[in-house]
Amino acid sequence: MSTPPTSTLLLLSLPPSILCGINLLTFTTTPTFHGIKSLPPGYHFLFTSPSASLSLREGFWFQIPTSPASVHIYRKWSPEHETLIPCTEAEAKEYVEEKGGWKLVYERFLTPYRQSAGTADGAPSNKEDAWEHLTAHITPSILRYFSNNEEWQISSASSGVQDRDEIPGLNAREVGSVIGEEKELGMLGIDLKKTWREGAVGREMTEQARDRSWYLEDLVARHGDMVGKKRDGEGKQWGHVILGQMELCFLMVLTLANYSCLEEWKRILAVVLTCEKIVWEQPGFFAEVLRLLKRQLERGDDVEGGLFDMSDEGGGFLKGLLRGFRRTLEQRDGTEYEEEDMKEEFGEVEKWVREQYGWELGDEFVRKGMLELEDGEMVEMETGEMEGEDESG
């Protein structure tokens, strides 16, 4: 065998007993684990940590194209940095020859790709289907922008500039060893305290603070050039970059417990679910956001410690956003197909959070509060929160 018959990921000199993960599957390495074979087409994320108890994790994204029939990716373990780094094909060839050739390496040292321990026979699992759906809007250009490097590498300590002050879970030594070399993550630059156009005053500024439709359009316009081609070769749907960023942020929380990505995920939802006018102009986009949100919430328990506290107190930010969005949908009867699809997708989210968390989104209770804008002006906002004896109003 001159080369493996399926797409492979060869990991040179990977030590045993370290934490390793590929997409949704996490495991502890053994002396006979040297990589993964039979990788399916699509985007994949592999990450490692020197110890399961060490909070610092590092990983990289890679793509397996639909053609040619097989591709081979090589990484080697760096004892100095305790992570995987790129290596050359010549290094991989020498390594394989030392192990007895490709046939022996392929059969004995590469494990078949799977996403759960129960699919060794090659049968697809729900997690395999889930990963495909959770990465449906990711493109090379979005990955390049988000990771801010050509190798698509990200760690637990990678952070957007606005989240640098606090990275929970890392001690001073861990942060110090990574932050100095770590590049900023490419975030969307969301500022929830200024969601109106430059030069807006008075009523216009107040309306754009309450209804973030203009701000969402501006985000899409500013970042639309990073989208790249859609997998089916057709044109992109409006807002594709927002969906791709939302997917990446969630998956980096899921696999790396990355604090900054969780904050960006929350910021994206805080913009999208407080829109009103544009909801009826781009119903297909909002249907896709809701579809994706439900898929992500379904995997929330996979996050160490939970995605966030889903109790009434801890999950308040999401519950309030969903209640407010429900009121937006109730403002008119959607008759177009995409509008009906959007409402159906919201119904699926509503049903899921009611069954899983006991959330009721359809009550008439509202809470009012004041939001301080960037210029210091206070604007009255409503949320769908319910507490004690609050009255509807």
Side-chain angles (χ1 to χ4, degrees):
M1 181 189 297
S2 58
T3 56
T6 66
S7 294
T8 59
L9 174 62
L10 181 64
L11 307 174
L12 283 61
S13 305
L14 190 68
S17 303
I18 69 167
L19 182 70
C20 186
I22 175 74
N23 300 345
L24 299 176
L25 179 66
T26 305
F27 53 93
T28 301
T29 59
T30 65
T32 57
F33 176 75
H34 293 248
I36 302 169
K37 60 187 176 182
S38 303
L39 286 159
Y43 292 91
H44 303 280
F45 185 69
L46 184 124
F47 61 94
T48 60
S49 177
S51 169
S53 62
L54 186 65
S55 57
L56 185 59
R57 299 178 180 181
E58 296 191 60
F60 64 95
W61 284 87
F62 62 95
Q63 181 185 16
I64 300 297
T66 53
S67 63
S70 63
V71 296
H72 312 295
I73 299 169
Y74 312 117
R75 290 292 190 279
K76 64 180 179 182
W77 182 257
S78 168
E80 178 184 359
H81 299 95
E82 294 189 314
T83 189
L84 289 165
I85 61 176
C87 69
T88 65
E89 186 174 353
E91 289 176 297
K93 184 178 179 181
E94 181 181 356
Y95 185 82
V96 169
E97 290 175 351
E98 290 176 356
K99 297 296 180 182
W102 264 121
K103 186 176 188 300
L104 185 62
V105 169
Y106 187 81
E107 293 176 353
R108 292 185 56 185
F109 299 118
L110 298 183
T111 186
Y113 172 82
R114 57 182 180 267
Q115 284 295 280
S116 71
T119 60
D121 59 356
S125 69
N126 291 335
K127 280 190 174 182
E128 288 176 18
D129 294 336
W131 182 261
E132 181 179 355
H133 292 312
L134 290 170
T135 57
H137 300 89
I138 293 174
T139 67
S141 51
I142 291 177
L143 274 170
R144 193 176 301 111
Y145 174 86
F146 180 76
S147 65
N148 201 18
N149 64 80
E150 294 299 322
E151 297 296 332
W152 301 350
Q153 293 177 323
I154 303 170
S155 81
S156 301
S158 300
S159 177
V161 64
Q162 62 206 106
D163 304 315
R164 274 294 192 193
D165 292 341
E166 182 181 0
I167 304 179
L170 297 183
N171 60 41
R173 182 186 62 82
E174 293 169 345
V175 173
S177 67
V178 176
I179 291 297
E181 301 176 1
E182 197 73 29
K183 293 184 177 180
E184 302 283 355
L185 286 178
M187 300 303 194
L188 297 179
I190 295 173
D191 182 358
L192 297 175
K193 289 188 175 182
K194 186 179 180 182
T195 59
W196 55 88
R197 70 172 183 85
E198 193 70 31
V201 295
R203 181 177 179 180
E204 181 185 14
M205 184 174 71
T206 301
E207 288 179 350
Q208 290 177 1
R210 289 175 172 169
D211 173 6
R212 290 169 172 154
S213 296
W214 178 88
Y215 194 62
L216 177 59
E217 286 188 289
D218 184 60
L219 286 175
V220 172
R222 276 190 279 145
H223 298 285
D225 59 347
M226 78 166 81
V227 173
K229 288 186 177 180
K230 199 174 182 179
R231 293 179 191 181
D232 58 12
E234 296 179 359
K236 269 314 137 317
Q237 75 176 107
W238 187 90
H240 191 102
V241 65
I242 306 296
L243 291 160
Q245 189 86 347
M246 185 174 164
E247 288 175 349
L248 281 173
C249 286
F250 175 78
L251 292 173
M252 294 303 90
V253 176
L254 191 68
T255 56
L256 301 180
N258 185 291
Y259 167 80
S260 184
C261 290
L262 176 59
E263 294 303 299
E264 177 80 346
W265 183 77
K266 289 180 178 180
R267 287 189 290 263
I268 291 172
L269 290 176
V271 171
V272 173
L273 296 179
T274 53
C275 291
E276 297 179 17
K277 179 182 176 182
I278 201 171
V279 168
W280 308 105
E281 298 173 1
Q282 300 290 348
F285 165 77
F286 286 90
E288 193 63 25
V289 167
L290 294 166
R291 191 176 297 117
L292 173 59
L293 176 60
K294 179 174 179 286
R295 290 168 178 162
Q296 292 179 337
L297 292 176
E298 288 172 343
R299 303 243 62 97
D301 288 342
D302 294 345
V303 178
E304 293 185 10
L307 184 58
F308 44 76
D309 180 6
M310 289 299 186
S311 65
D312 279 353
E313 180 179 354
F317 97 95
L318 181 58
K319 190 196 303 184
L321 291 173
L322 290 173
R323 281 179 171 159
F325 193 76
R326 189 183 198 278
R327 290 196 296 274
T328 297
L329 295 185
E330 291 174 341
Q331 292 176 3
R332 59 187 268 185
D333 295 325
T335 56
E336 299 295 329
Y337 171 77
E338 286 191 331
E339 293 178 353
E340 293 177 353
D341 185 40
M342 174 178 62
K343 290 196 170 187
E344 287 177 5
E345 291 300 332
F346 182 83
E348 291 296 315
V349 173
E350 184 175 28
K351 177 182 176 183
W352 197 86
V353 298
R354 180 171 60 248
E355 292 176 350
Q356 296 297 317
Y357 310 134
W359 293 359
E360 292 295 339
L361 305 181
D363 58 82
E364 297 300 323
F365 289 86
V366 298
R367 293 176 64 191
K368 294 184 178 181
M370 303 302 292
L371 172 68
E372 183 180 0
L373 304 181
E374 187 184 56
D375 62 353
E377 180 181 349
M378 304 297 291
V379 176
E380 185 179 66
M381 302 288 287
E382 290 184 354
T383 71
E385 283 307 287
M386 184 167 56
E387 181 180 344
E389 300 298 327
D390 285 356
E391 297 181 355
S392 57

